Amino acid sequence: MNKYGLHGKLQATAGKGAYLAQILLEASKLVSTAIGCRLYLVSQDSSNPDAVWVTEVWDSKEDHDNSLQVPGVRELISQAMPLLAGRPEKGQELEVLGGTGLEVELAHIS
């Protein structure tokens, strides 16, 4: 069975990339409890510290959409929005065909 994937970049205002990444890492903890969440990976661009990438894998698009109802997720979204340097670009929607995974847990960004 194929999975639903998303991959996208969020550009923070100057100097706010680490704070945005922290908020997204908190979001990853919340959505890890959501039905169908297989991966929620937060990465910082090595050439642009204010660019934060999010890669997600879900059992279905419906599971992803339902994750917005997880308690606390909308609050984190409202904290992140003022940090963005503009409207978020639409991420790439992917049909995940397979591969291997590694469980990743990041405690914090220093």
Side-chain angles (χ1 to χ4, degrees):
M1 173 189 276
N2 296 345
K3 306 288 183 198
Y4 174 74
L6 288 173
H7 181 68
K9 178 176 91 169
L10 297 169
Q11 181 67 45
T13 57
K16 300 291 184 183
Y19 185 43
L20 176 61
Q22 287 176 350
I23 291 170
L24 292 168
L25 287 169
E26 284 300 313
S28 75
K29 292 176 189 174
L30 294 178
V31 299
S32 71
T33 66
I35 293 171
C37 181
R38 300 295 171 202
L39 176 74
Y40 189 101
L41 182 66
V42 179
S43 306
Q44 204 158 24
D45 192 319
S46 61
S47 65
N48 177 0
D50 292 320
V52 182
W53 291 84
V54 177
T55 305
E56 303 175 57
V57 176
W58 296 85
D59 285 342
S60 68
K61 183 176 185 324
E62 181 181 31
D63 287 340
H64 168 264
D65 293 347
N66 290 338
S67 72
L68 295 174
Q69 304 308 316
V70 171
V73 167
R74 291 198 185 270
E75 290 80 2
L76 289 174
I77 291 170
S78 69
Q79 289 176 29
M81 291 304 286
L83 302 176
L84 299 179
R87 284 188 74 151
E89 295 176 27
K90 180 172 174 26
Q92 297 173 317
E93 289 186 280
L94 307 167
E95 180 180 356
V96 179
L97 303 177
T100 60
L102 174 66
E103 182 139 344
V104 176
E105 184 174 329
L106 302 176
H108 67 282
I109 293 182
S110 39

